[in-house]
Amino acid sequence: MAADIIDGKAFAAGLRETVGVHAAAFAERAGRKAGLAVVLVGEDPASQVYVRSKHRATVEAGMESFEHRLPADTAEAALLALVERLNADPAVDGILVQLPLPGHLDEQAVIAAISPDKDVDGFHVTNAGRLAVGQDGFVPCTPLGCMMLLSDRLGDLSGLEAVVIGRSNIVGKPMAQLLLGANATVTIAHSRTKDLPGVVRRADIVVAAVGRAEMVKADWLKPGATVIDVGINRLPPVPGSDKGRLVGDVDFAGARDVAGAITPVPGGVGPMTIAVLLRNTLVAAYRNEGLDLPEGAL
Ligand code: NAD
């Protein structure tokens, strides 16, 4: 039987709507809108597209969007000074510095300068630490979005075998922490893992965050497994078209016959990232104002 498709696009639309409702309630109680500041340094085309869609989504959710575009040759001191100003600005609840930064800028130093309470990307070491020890903080948007899809599909994850492929700070490691926090038995696989297919075959839950087109094959999967495909890879164009197809890290066509449920690419994890960014910004706004979000709201 073909796997169920986990519709991240629909889930994300629902989450954005919920954020919108609570953003309106926040504005009423706080006397101001929640605000997200996005900093873009340079002219990387993909980053420009991301920043534009973040801006649009923020405004659509009824929140304030502050955009700061800086030239590619911006000095690190100037960028750090901007981050300091945003840290101190009471209209700004969340700060996002779009990565990657131009090569002369130290990404870790810039992330470290963001106030952990405005770090809605969840990249600051304080937030990584909070996640590791189970304290409230901010969790990176993509893995938190994956977790929402998993909880929606599976409910209680206690005792399930989860394999996360990829160990980046942005996806793989926080994903593993979230699964551990939900009482799954977690394995992190990576480029040095021996017998990756054998490891993946144990999993009730597979999260693939590698960046290699269609690497995970159908015969790596345990029948009925839930598969979350984080990868976004563009295949080479076929003759006659100028752009190749977007595919994930999982061989979707094959995996559909074995998995119990699977996220498509596009339309799976991708739309969750921005929706969770809006959610994190709203949570930051409630916390920064010392207001309680309604129980179970987001
Ligand atoms: P990364 O390059 O930082 O990390 C990739 C990880 O994969 C590494 O930990 C590496 O050990 C592992 N890896 C590499 N080759 C491997 C192999 N042959 N076998 C097993 N593991 C291997 O990438 P990232 O930032 O974690 O992103 C991963 C993928 O997810 C990329 O395709 C990226 O575009 C995508 N992504 C999507 C979203 C989204 O919104 N959907 C967000 C972030 C990243």
Side-chain angles (χ1 to χ4, degrees), residues 157-235:
L157 308 189
S158 290
L160 295 180
E161 288 275 352
V163 173
V164 179
I165 318 174
R167 57 173 162 184
S168 71
N169 291 335
I170 292 172
V171 188
K173 282 182 202 160
M175 188 71 235
Q177 295 284 6
L178 286 168
L179 288 162
L180 195 57
N183 302 313
T185 301
V186 184
T187 303
I188 307 179
H190 47 79
S191 53
R192 306 284 178 91
T193 296
K194 288 188 184 137
D195 186 21
L196 184 59
V199 172
V200 174
R201 224 169 269 133
R202 297 202 301 255
D204 304 303
I205 296 169
V206 179
V207 180
V210 183
R212 286 180 176 241
E214 302 176 322
M215 183 187 83
V216 177
K217 303 300 179 199
D219 66 357
W220 296 20
L221 299 174
K222 176 166 151 180
T226 302
V227 180
I228 303 290
D229 191 350
V230 183
I232 303 176
N233 312 287
R234 198 171 283 283
L235 293 178

Side-chain angles (χ1 to χ4, degrees), residues 3 49-50 108 168 187 251 259:
V49 173
Y50 293 142
Q108 286 310 318
S168 71
T187 303
D251 171 18

Side-chain angles (χ1 to χ4, degrees), residues 38-253:
V38 176
V39 181
L40 174 61
V41 186
E43 262 131 48
D44 178 62
S47 294
Q48 286 185 332
V49 173
Y50 293 142
V51 166
R52 243 195 325 274
S53 42
K54 284 168 189 173
H55 169 79
R56 207 176 317 121
T58 307
V59 172
E60 266 173 33
M63 302 196 279
E64 208 82 66
S65 165
F66 306 101
E67 262 187 57
H68 296 268
R69 290 169 181 266
L70 304 178
D73 62 355
T74 298
E76 191 163 301
L79 178 56
L80 293 174
L82 171 61
V83 170
E84 276 313 315
R85 280 204 304 284
L86 297 173
N87 283 341
D89 185 343
V92 172
D93 296 295
I95 302 171
L96 182 155
V97 177
Q98 185 65 46
L99 303 179
L101 289 172
H104 67 287
L105 299 171
D106 176 353
E107 286 186 356
Q108 286 310 318
V110 174
I111 292 169
I114 298 172
S115 160
D117 298 330
K118 295 192 176 187
D119 168 41
V120 286
D121 253 344
F123 295 164
H124 195 289
V125 288
T126 298
N127 282 318
R130 286 169 172 165
L131 176 60
V133 299
Q135 288 175 6
D136 279 344
F138 291 105
V139 177
C141 301
T142 300
L144 184 53
C146 294
M147 197 61 193
M148 289 177 179
L149 295 178
L150 281 170
S151 301
D152 182 60
R153 167 80 197 176
L154 297 170
D156 184 8
L157 308 189
S158 290
L160 295 180
E161 288 275 352
V163 173
V164 179
I165 318 174
R167 57 173 162 184
S168 71
N169 291 335
I170 292 172
V171 188
K173 282 182 202 160
M175 188 71 235
Q177 295 284 6
L178 286 168
L179 288 162
L180 195 57
N183 302 313
T185 301
V186 184
T187 303
I188 307 179
H190 47 79
S191 53
R192 306 284 178 91
T193 296
K194 288 188 184 137
D195 186 21
L196 184 59
V199 172
V200 174
R201 224 169 269 133
R202 297 202 301 255
D204 304 303
I205 296 169
V206 179
V207 180
V210 183
R212 286 180 176 241
E214 302 176 322
M215 183 187 83
V216 177
K217 303 300 179 199
D219 66 357
W220 296 20
L221 299 174
K222 176 166 151 180
T226 302
V227 180
I228 303 290
D229 191 350
V230 183
I232 303 176
N233 312 287
R234 198 171 283 283
L235 293 178
V238 290
S241 70
D242 54 345
K243 261 191 185 172
R245 222 162 35 93
L246 275 189
V247 297
D249 290 343
V250 179
D251 171 18
F252 182 82

